[in-house]
Amino acid sequence: MSELTIVWVYPDLLSTYGDRGNMLILHRRALARGIPARTVEVRSDEKLPAHGDIYLIGGGEDGPQASAAERLIADGGLHRAAADRAVIFAVCAGYQLLGSSFFAKGEKCAGLGLVDLHSDRGPSRAVGELAGDIAPELGLPPLTGFENHGGRTHLGAGVRPLATVTTGVGNDSVGEGVWAGTILGTYAHGPALARNPALADLLLRWATGEENLAPLDETWTGRLRAERLAAVGRS
Ligand code: GLN
């Protein structure tokens, strides 16, 4: 295929807890398979490129999250990307702003409306390890991550969570994240794709159409996963 373009959306607003690592992991795992790939970091005063293959959105505090939503709505680039069935992977604040609305600093804010979901505020902040069983159809090992958010997310009827929670809160203590076509949302930081390389490869498979990606040396990712899953009593 031609060069895979991985777009990191608004690093100046949405990049908490090392979420930029998601971009680095995808890039590295593509290059390691001989897939030509480049990364593009698009600041919030720049226009989103129209022909990205994978768009990554990270977490953020309430103020930057609200600013990012306004700018993304005005830009329209993510709507175009979604219409073109680009791959979108969004974390925490980035995940919340895919829905119709979210709360930031006590105010209800309009989201992008790309997926039928909305977020409100929970009774307390959800902070700590997050783990769950990923939707079986995706055929992936357990999800592991770190969460830190005040919001709770409610999926529309028929919209599927990415995982079922076994530790932590995620959307609502039952479901975690969303899986809608080639869009994934999650509350998992970590960064998520470092802790869940199988999820990174899922995104690469979707973006390249290549079903059989060559296996990589998972010594270090395996150690990280084993440690974090053991911390919540899972293997
Ligand atoms: N501001 C959002 C919340 O607290 C998202 C936080 C985050 O991205 N870590 O719910």
Side-chain angles (χ1 to χ4, degrees):
M1 70 175 287
S2 58
E3 200 173 35
L4 185 80
T5 302
I6 303 165
V7 181
W8 178 243
V9 178
Y10 296 177
D12 51 328
L13 296 177
L14 300 173
S15 189
T16 51
Y17 311 121
D19 287 338
R20 184 170 176 276
N22 291 331
M23 177 185 77
L24 302 178
I25 292 284
L26 280 176
H27 192 215
R28 189 183 172 93
R29 293 181 77 86
L31 296 182
R33 266 83 173 232
I35 301 167
R38 69 185 179 122
T39 60
V40 181
E41 302 197 28
V42 184
R43 293 177 57 87
S44 59
D45 58 355
E46 297 173 323
K47 197 154 177 54
L48 281 185
H51 299 298
D53 297 295
I54 305 179
Y55 290 78
L56 301 170
I57 322 174
E61 291 165 12
D62 283 10
Q65 178 179 2
S67 304
E70 280 172 20
R71 288 167 201 215
L72 286 171
I73 290 169
D75 182 278
L78 269 187
H79 291 89
R80 280 193 300 278
D84 288 349
R85 294 190 56 78
V87 174
I88 299 176
F89 183 71
V91 177
C92 205
Y95 164 41
Q96 290 178 6
L97 56 79
L98 297 182
S100 56
S101 62
F102 61 89
F103 275 80
K105 294 192 163 173
E107 304 240 329
K108 189 172 178 179
C109 304
L112 302 183
L114 291 177
V115 185
D116 180 13
L117 59 85
H118 71 276
S119 302
D120 55 16
R121 274 341 244 199
S124 60
R125 230 179 146 73
V127 184
E129 288 294 314
L130 174 64
D133 292 315
I134 294 184
E137 294 89 331
L138 291 173
L140 303 183
L143 178 77
T144 162
F146 164 80
E147 64 182 336
N148 186 347
H149 53 101
R152 298 293 186 274
T153 297
H154 310 280
L155 307 184
V159 178
R160 306 201 48 177
L162 171 62
T164 305
V165 173
T166 54
T167 298
V169 175
N171 294 342
D172 56 3
S173 303
V174 180
E176 147 50 22
V178 74
W179 166 32
T182 52
I183 300 178
L184 292 186
T186 179
Y187 274 107
H189 301 280
L193 299 184
R195 285 208 195 186
N196 302 277
L199 210 48
D201 286 354
L202 175 70
L203 303 181
L204 290 175
R205 289 204 309 271
W206 282 349
T208 61
E210 180 57 66
E211 263 312 304
N212 299 307
L213 295 175
L216 299 179
D217 178 356
E218 305 291 359
T219 307
W220 288 102
T221 50
R223 278 190 200 172
L224 175 62
R225 284 183 62 75
E227 180 197 285
R228 298 325 307 158
L229 286 168
V232 295
R234 294 203 52 158
S235 54

